[in-house]
């Protein structure tokens, strides 16, 4: 049983004076960065272009990347927007030195990137790039709470230029961005499915891709596609955190090759571990490490950092479970064999993919096969069992190119096969939902305490901007192969709520069957959901307190012997990433909810805040003496968590482990 509690106070007793002093100065910036000396001005000021805001290693970081026409010392300058006066940056603004090299592309020039660190939550910031006397236009972004629920948006293959008309592709891409961000103003990440452009080193396509203002306001989580890999422009425009650029993660095995971009990377954002792979490197015969290298990378990252997060999301370009032109590609069949078992073993929750310019949402997949034969097509709620993973492929976000859905064959209904779904023969065996309407879409993912909500949302219709339709690259538009008129912009085409698996401890509790006649057993009533203690409240300026109840437990004893039984429990430490506090601070008051099976409530156990070990040591929830009545009873407990007010702000979880003994 998983317990969750949040502390709500951004200040602690020991920090209060410093925060008050900061407020008095009217400054809310909490940044760490080395101030750079003013760069010497060149005879001709550098032209600064291609500014994009990228994701950092965590919520308190952002990476800014841009192009410069001159090889001068440059930086990012950042300040709270509230500190700007008439648009002018204050003397207290923080600068972060930029790195970069000469561009390896026909466009010439130089690339720069700088990492902003030490951002404060719930703060609006303004930033600009360049050097004293030669700054870019000012852009802005806002941080939100570093804990709790959040939304991110996932975009498939803008592939600017693939229609043959860059301007039309740009118009569709910008419109999708405007629709998505206006409908979701609190979205915190923009996640790429790859193929930002059609030709890797054509800067007119990159300029069109970078046109939306949202790319300077909300962090872009870059993913490399097969149309991005053939040059260095991808790496020059999109610098990423924690990136392994060794040869194994490059298609040809060498990061220094001027015609190749690559690398695998990871970051943690609000209790979600994101891992992004260069799926262009899939076969060692090409020179790189292939899928084996990616599998080893994901395994290593999850083993090292998985415990710091509550969800694991993988992102790569080549969809292994998709419904259209690439569904039967030989390279995707290789990945379909190489990836799924490892992803299941590591407890991955969601995989986001691009490449096939159509939308699909897989069934729950475990070890390369459908995990639950009873899962129905289009089912809007999925409870992932151990090893269950949902794979989503995004359609075109720009309208530059769509692929039509293809028909299954007789190659099998697991592993690399492309056979038909027995429950819906028009679909591939692995897909719960497949869709192509020749309209632009994007995917919204809501990350909640105990569920992921995935929605495929229409960002356009059959009218312009929709380059593939405008240029007659497709002959119909709308649902059911154009038999129905296009649905409204903003309408939801598919929605599913994914309930993640909680690991071995949760499995033990959920999988214990009800006691058979003549046996003793216990089970948790209903679905074993997260026990949410809510947000702790500060009491008497001394401690935080939160209360709640465990999920009720049914105890059944129909044994003729009427032997004694007991159910006890203990809790481990509460953890949020690298922050923790002891489980001893949790206490409880057991109770009998429904009498039966001779159940007697255990003694109340106070929080260790008041002395003692609390529930960090095993304590009785309920028991029955020898000779008790046979039957079923329901027991529960009121929880009382009291922790010092010096505990760091966060969203903490612990596991309550239940143990039953029967004589």
């Amino acid at each position: 049983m998983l317990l969750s509690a949040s502390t709500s106070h951004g200040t602690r007793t020991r920090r209060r004076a410093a925060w008050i002093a900061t407020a008095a100065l009217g400054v809310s910036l909490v940044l760490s960065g080395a101030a750079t000396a003013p760069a010497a001005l060149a005879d001709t000021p550098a032209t600064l272009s291609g500014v994009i805001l990228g994701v950092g290693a965590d919520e308190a970081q952002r990476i800014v990347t841009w192009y410069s026409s001159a090889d001068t010392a440059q930086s990012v300058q950042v300040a709270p927007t509230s500190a700007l006066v008439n648009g002018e940056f204050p003397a207290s603004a923080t600068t972060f030195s930029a790195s970069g090299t000469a561009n390896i592309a026909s466009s010439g020039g130089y690339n720069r990137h700088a990492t902003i660190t030490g951002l404060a939550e719930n703060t609006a910031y303004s930033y600009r790039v360049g050097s004293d006397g030669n700054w870019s236009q000012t852009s802005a972004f806002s941080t939100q709470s570093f804990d709790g629920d959040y939304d991110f948006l996932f975009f498939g293959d803008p592939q600017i230029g693939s229609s043959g008309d860059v301007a039309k592709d740009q118009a569709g891409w910008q419109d999708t961005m405007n629709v998505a961000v206006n409908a979701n103003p609190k979205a915190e990440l923009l996640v790429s499915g790859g193929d930002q452009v059609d030709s890797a080193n054509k800067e007119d396509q990159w300029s069109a891709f970078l046109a939306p203002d949202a790319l300077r306001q909300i962090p872009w989580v870059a993913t490399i596609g097969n149309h991005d890999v053939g040059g260095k422009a991808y790496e020059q425009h999109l610098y990423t955190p924690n990136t392994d650029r060794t040869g194994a993660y490059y298609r040809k095995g060498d990061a220094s090759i001027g015609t190749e971009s690559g690398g695998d990377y990871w970051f943690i954002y609000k209790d979600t571990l994101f891992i992004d792979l260069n799926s262009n490197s899939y076969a060692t015969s090409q020179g790189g490490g292939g899928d084996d290298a990616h599998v080893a990378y994901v395994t290593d990252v999850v083993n090292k950092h998985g415990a710091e997060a509550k969800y694991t999301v993988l992102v790569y370009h080549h969809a292994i479970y998709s419904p259209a032109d690439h569904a039967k590609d030989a390279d995707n069949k290789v990945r379909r064999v190489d990836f799924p078992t490892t992803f299941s073993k590591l407890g991955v929750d969601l995989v986001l993919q691009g490449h096939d310019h159509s939308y699909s949402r897989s069934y729950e997949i475990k070890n390369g096969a459908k995990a639950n034969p009873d899962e129905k097509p289009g089912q809007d709620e999925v409870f992932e069992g151990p090893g269950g993973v949902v794979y989503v492929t995004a359609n075109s976000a720009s309208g530059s190119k769509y692929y039509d859905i293809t028909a299954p064959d007789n190659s099998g209904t697991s592993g690399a096969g492309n056979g038909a779904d027995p429950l819906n023969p028009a679909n591939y065996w692995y897909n719960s939902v497949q869709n192509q309407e020749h309209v632009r879409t994007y995917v919204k993912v809501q990350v909640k305490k105990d569920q992921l909500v995935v929605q495929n949302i229409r960002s356009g219709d059959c009218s312009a901007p929709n380059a593939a339709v405008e240029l007659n690259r497709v002959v119909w538009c709308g649902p059911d192969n154009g038999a129905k008129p296009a649905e409204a912009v903003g309408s939801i085409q598919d929605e599913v709520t994914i309930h993640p698996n909680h690991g071995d401890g949760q499995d033990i509790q959920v999988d214990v069957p009800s006691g058979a006649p003549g046996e003793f057993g216990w089970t948790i009533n209903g679905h074993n959901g997260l026990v949410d203690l809510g947000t702790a409240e500060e009491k008497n300026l001394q401690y935080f307190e939160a209360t709640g109840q465990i999920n009720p437990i049914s105890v059944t004893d129909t044994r003729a012997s009427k032997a004694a039984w007991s159910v006890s429990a203990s809790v481990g430490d509460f953890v949020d990433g690298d922050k923790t506090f002891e489980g001893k601070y949790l206490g409880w008051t057991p109770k009998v909810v429904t009498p039966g099976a001779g159940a007697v409530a255990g003694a109340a156990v106070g929080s260790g805040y008041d002395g003692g070990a609390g529930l960090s040591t095993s304590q009785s929830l309920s028991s029955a003496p020898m000779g008790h009545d046979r039957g079923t009873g329901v027991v529960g407990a009121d929880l009382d968590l009291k922790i010092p007010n010096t505990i760091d702000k966060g969203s903490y979880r612990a596991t309550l482990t239940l143990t039953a003994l029967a004589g």
Side-chain angles (χ1 to χ4, degrees), residues 495-555:
E495 179 172 355
V496 63
T497 299
I498 303 169
H499 300 270
N501 179 259
H502 286 304
D504 292 341
Q506 187 80 0
D507 294 343
I508 292 171
Q509 297 163 55
V510 173
D511 292 342
V512 173
S514 299
E519 295 183 356
F520 169 80
W522 63 269
T523 186
I524 296 173
N525 284 8
H527 175 66
N528 187 13
L530 183 72
V531 177
D532 187 2
L533 300 184
T535 301
E537 296 183 1
E538 191 168 17
K539 304 288 187 178
N540 301 323
L541 299 179
Q542 295 179 348
Y543 62 88
F544 292 120
E545 185 169 22
T547 59
Q549 297 180 346
I550 67 169
N551 296 320
I553 295 170
S554 294
V555 180

Side-chain angles (χ1 to χ4, degrees), residues 122-146:
N122 298 312
T123 304
Y125 289 102
S126 293
Y127 71 98
R128 57 187 182 180
V129 306
S131 58
D132 285 349
N134 188 35
W135 293 109
S136 69
Q137 291 184 341
T138 298
S139 298
F141 65 89
S142 295
T143 60
Q144 298 182 40
S145 172
F146 289 169

Side-chain angles (χ1 to χ4, degrees), residues 115 131 209 300 412 492 537 581 611 615 628:
T115 301
S131 58
F209 165 75
D300 182 62
I492 297 173
E537 296 183 1
F581 63 81
L615 292 182
H628 63 80

Side-chain angles (χ1 to χ4, degrees), residues 218-271:
I218 305 172
W220 181 251
V221 180
T223 300
I224 189 169
N226 58 300
H227 286 267
D228 304 314
V229 74
K232 284 296 184 186
Y234 172 87
E235 291 182 5
Q236 293 167 181
H237 279 295
L238 303 170
Y239 198 83
T240 53
N242 298 324
T243 304
D244 192 327
R245 300 189 188 279
T246 54
Y249 309 111
Y250 282 74
R251 181 174 56 177
K252 297 181 180 179
D254 188 348
S256 66
I257 296 176
T259 56
E260 289 288 311
S261 288
D264 288 1
Y265 73 97
W266 65 273
F267 64 94
I268 292 179
Y269 191 89
K270 292 181 74 165
D271 294 323

Side-chain angles (χ1 to χ4, degrees), residues 343-402:
F343 296 170
S344 293
K345 178 182 176 181
L346 295 174
V348 172
D349 297 289
L350 179 66
V351 177
L352 301 175
Q353 312 159 116
H355 192 50
D356 214 9
H357 296 249
S358 55
Y359 174 79
S360 64
R361 184 243 298 178
S362 79
Y363 289 113
E364 179 189 353
I365 302 293
K366 179 179 181 179
N367 299 334
K370 185 178 179 182
N372 179 8
D374 295 328
E375 185 182 346
K376 299 297 188 293
Q379 188 170 306
D380 62 4
E381 193 168 30
V382 176
F383 292 87
E384 288 183 336
V389 185
V390 173
Y391 295 74
V392 171
T393 305
N395 192 20
S396 170
S398 67
S400 64
K401 179 171 35 173
Y402 304 107

Side-chain angles (χ1 to χ4, degrees), residues 550-555 565 567 591-594 596 599-601 621-623 633-637:
I550 67 169
N551 296 320
I553 295 170
S554 294
V555 180
W565 60 263
V567 177
K591 58 187 177 182
V592 175
V593 179
T594 303
V600 177
L621 172 64
S622 183
S623 62
V634 179
V635 298

